[in-house]
């Protein structure tokens, strides 16, 4: 399985600011994903991070709010823009290797005041 | 569309008790099925998986069997420990190039000494 790290592990931010979350994998992977887990809830897929092209967003998520970069096969960033308290969540990246199994990073715990 | 229905929690057990967490699914085709575990303050870890009917996934004393006839993937453990206290998520992935994971709502398990 892949080893995935995320930075920062947690942050407390002010309303109206933006935060960029980094996801690093220890091996090259084709598929990388970003999820949101709101307090006490299950996981919701935000988007698929595509290497060399624009991310593919799920219904209800837009690029202006959650811009994503994927400059290579081991790294991706998710930015949460113009934050409000409703954005307080855990944000997780995941990767899928050849085994059709997704592995998750440790998550970034975001609190917006 | 795909969906996963998981037993509502929370579930509270005494150490060494038998655990069952029910999971049923609706999907087209032949999905792969997963159980993920989220320990307090951490990200998701893959617990076990099964990729075809009658497969049994197992790990750390946990087991789940892919039952196509009942569209179920119930998680069981014969003797739980305090360290098993966590949130458990059932998930499915449709076959082939459809990478999207569909999660259940999660079941909080608390094991008391």
């Amino acid at each position: 399985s892949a080893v995935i790290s995320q930075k920062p592990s947690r942050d407390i931010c002010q309303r109206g600011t933006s935060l960029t979350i980094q996801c690093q994998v220890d091996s090259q992977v084709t598929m990388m994903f970003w999820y949101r887990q709101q307090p006490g809830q299950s996981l919701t897929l935000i988007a698929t991070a595509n290497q060399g092209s624009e991310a593919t967003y799920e219904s209800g998520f837009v690029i202006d709010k959650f811009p994503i970069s994927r400059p290579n096969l081991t790294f991706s960033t998710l930015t949460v823009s113009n934050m409000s308290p409703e954005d307080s969540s855990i944000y997780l990246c995941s990767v899928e290797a050849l085994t059709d199994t997704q592995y998750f990073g440790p998550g970034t715990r975001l609190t917006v005041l | 569309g795909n969906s996963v229905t998981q037993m509502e929690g929370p579930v509270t057990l005494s150490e060494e008790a038998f655990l069952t967490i029910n999971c049923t699914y609706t999907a087209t085709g032949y999905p792969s099925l997963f159980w993920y575990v989220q320990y307090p303050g951490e990200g998701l870890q893959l617990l076990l998986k099964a990729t075809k009917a009658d497969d049994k996934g197992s790990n750390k004393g946990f087991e789940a069997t892919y039952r196509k006839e009942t569209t179920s993937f119930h998680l069981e453990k014969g003797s739980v420990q305090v360290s098993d206290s966590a949130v458990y998520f059932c998930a499915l992935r449709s076959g082939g190039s459809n990478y999207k994971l569909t999660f259940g709502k999660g079941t909080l398990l608390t094991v008391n000494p």
Side-chain angles (χ1 to χ4, degrees):
Chain A
S1 64
V3 176
I4 305 164
S5 60
Q6 283 185 235
K7 289 183 190 178
S9 59
R10 60 179 66 239
D11 207 341
I12 300 173
C13 300
Q14 296 298 319
R15 179 195 299 262
T17 62
S18 298
L19 176 71
T20 295
I21 302 167
Q22 299 179 3
C23 178
Q24 179 76 52
V25 189
D26 68 341
S27 57
Q28 294 186 342
V29 292
T30 305
M31 308 296 289
M32 291 183 77
F33 309 92
W34 287 99
Y35 288 81
R36 181 176 73 182
Q37 185 181 22
Q38 294 177 300
Q41 303 295 314
S42 187
L43 280 78
T44 303
L45 180 63
I46 298 171
T48 303
N50 300 310
Q51 194 264 330
S53 64
E54 193 171 285
T56 305
Y57 288 85
E58 297 296 307
S59 175
F61 297 95
V62 295
I63 188 171
D64 289 347
K65 176 67 175 176
F66 296 103
I68 288 171
S69 78
R70 177 105 189 259
N72 56 51
L73 293 176
T74 63
F75 185 78
S76 178
T77 67
L78 167 76
T79 299
V80 186
S81 302
N82 188 24
M83 289 184 285
S84 67
E86 292 71 33
D87 294 319
S88 297
S89 295
I90 301 173
Y91 292 87
L92 300 107
C93 71
S94 75
V95 304
E96 183 170 294
L98 295 176
T99 55
D100 292 345
T101 301
Q102 286 190 29
Y103 297 93
F104 286 81
T108 295
R109 279 159 177 75
L110 171 61
T111 301
V112 183
L113 303 178
Chain B
N2 296 338
S3 67
V4 175
T5 302
Q6 224 179 299
M7 178 172 145
E8 292 278 338
V11 174
T12 303
L13 296 173
S14 297
E15 208 164 21
E16 300 184 1
F18 184 85
L19 168 70
T20 299
I21 301 177
N22 290 337
C23 172
T24 57
Y25 67 90
T26 302
T28 54
Y30 302 94
S32 295
L33 301 173
F34 306 86
W35 278 100
Y36 286 89
V37 58
Q38 186 173 36
Y39 297 103
E42 299 186 11
L44 265 70
Q45 296 179 24
L46 177 67
L47 182 58
L48 53 85
K49 70 174 187 178
T51 58
K52 62 183 187 297
D54 299 325
D55 267 3
K56 178 185 283 187
S58 61
N59 186 25
K60 299 181 181 179
F62 290 90
E63 293 184 339
T65 301
Y66 188 146
R67 301 285 189 200
K68 191 167 176 61
E69 64 277 11
T70 54
T71 61
S72 65
F73 193 55
H74 305 322
L75 182 68
E76 296 182 336
K77 186 175 185 182
S79 177
V80 294
Q81 305 300 312
V82 172
S83 57
D84 294 326
S85 298
V87 180
Y88 292 81
F89 291 94
C90 184
L92 73 82
R93 181 192 184 282
S94 295
S97 61
N98 188 348
Y99 50 80
K100 186 174 179 179
L101 277 180
T102 301
F103 284 90
K105 292 186 176 181
T107 302
L108 173 62
L109 169 67
T110 301
V111 180
N112 295 318

